[in-house]
Amino acid sequence: MATRRLAPPEVQPKSFDWSADSAVKVAFWLGKYPAARKQSAVIPLLWLAQKQEGWVSEPALRKIALDLGMAYIRVYEVATFYTMFHLAPVGKHHLQVCGTTPCMLRGSGDLIDVCKKRIGHHHHVTPDGLFSWEEMECMGACANAPIVAIHDYYHEDLTAESLSAIIDDLAAGKDVTPGSAIGRLTSAPDGGPNVLKDESLFDGSLAKKIKLPNLPEKA
Ligand code: FES
């Protein structure tokens, strides 16, 4: 995982403020916490800023710090820690490719190669503004590795071919369907949830009686 820094000054906007729609949501989140604990809303507010602008700029961090009565550095620490926050502008379709061990063992290296070939280097935004990508740490869906998140939804069990097809569809303005690319149901085995059909595997009938060493003999 590369070091996470804010975008350079020439990329930063001069200011940030909440849109009318975001302001309603900000008020909602602030209303969930006691006034003395409003800093607890830092992650939802960072998320709202990202939803509004597409990324989290330095002026947005300062605005959130002001709204929450926090030191700017505390907001900065949260934004730079969590990789779900984009610290620089991203493409309309931002692909987050998991590169942690289970996904890597299941072929995420091939997915990264596709991204490099079709989109460019890490965090590069294509000239038409359509695509960018980044490598992520484990996104918690290892059972269906390898994973790519697009627009907050997981695309699972991918191969170089199925990811290329997704990129083709997005480039053509088509909707793409998240979930398993091979039709797996949630994280069930390939072919369907059939592992526990044999009741003896879970009804206890196969359990062997054990004799505890200090158990008194029954009369
Ligand atoms: S390793 Fe990729 S989702 Fe966990």
Side-chain angles (χ1 to χ4, degrees), residues 187-211:
S187 56
D190 196 1
N194 54 16
V195 169
L196 295 182
K197 278 183 179 166
D198 178 354
E199 289 186 12
S200 68
L201 291 172
F202 53 85
D203 67 3
S205 60
L206 293 179
K208 294 196 175 85
K209 287 201 170 21
I210 57 169
K211 184 171 185 315

Side-chain angles (χ1 to χ4, degrees), residues 27-129:
F28 166 80
W29 281 102
L30 290 179
K32 290 173 74 107
Y33 304 102
R37 295 281 183 273
K38 60 183 178 180
Q39 295 91 338
S40 302
V42 64
I43 286 182
L45 263 57
L46 284 165
W47 190 247
L48 286 175
Q50 178 159 296
K51 286 293 167 196
Q52 179 181 307
E53 303 292 313
W55 62 293
V56 181
S57 66
E58 199 253 1
L61 299 185
R62 293 198 181 276
K63 170 68 175 155
I64 291 168
L66 198 65
D67 287 353
L68 298 182
M70 295 172 74
Y72 164 72
I73 186 67
R74 297 287 173 235
V75 183
Y76 175 95
E77 285 167 348
V78 175
T80 53
F81 179 80
Y82 290 105
T83 51
M84 66 192 196
F85 296 124
H86 310 318
L87 302 177
V90 295
K92 179 179 176 193
H93 308 296
H94 183 65
L95 280 58
Q96 295 175 301
V97 185
C98 178
T100 304
T101 311
C103 279
M104 197 51 88
L105 289 172
R106 295 264 299 161
S108 65
D110 295 339
L111 308 186
I112 288 172
D113 287 344
V114 168
C115 289
K116 284 181 179 165
K117 196 167 144 209
R118 301 280 310 261
I119 300 172
H121 62 76
H122 205 240
H123 283 299
H124 166 76
V125 180
T126 51
D128 57 9

Side-chain angles (χ1 to χ4, degrees), residues 122-202:
H122 205 240
H123 283 299
H124 166 76
V125 180
T126 51
D128 57 9
L130 273 185
F131 292 103
S132 57
W133 76 279
E134 68 180 317
E135 183 178 334
M136 303 290 285
E137 298 300 336
C138 177
M139 295 192 277
C142 326
N144 291 5
I147 305 292
V148 174
I150 308 173
H151 302 304
D152 306 331
Y153 287 94
Y154 286 1
H155 295 256
E156 306 157 357
D157 296 315
L158 291 171
T159 60
E161 292 71 30
S162 50
L163 178 60
S164 270
I166 287 173
I167 294 174
D168 287 341
D169 284 348
L170 290 171
K174 296 181 188 166
D175 288 334
V176 291
T177 308
S180 170
I182 58 171
R184 269 210 284 178
L185 188 60
T186 62
S187 56
D190 196 1
N194 54 16
V195 169
L196 295 182
K197 278 183 179 166
D198 178 354
E199 289 186 12
S200 68
L201 291 172
F202 53 85

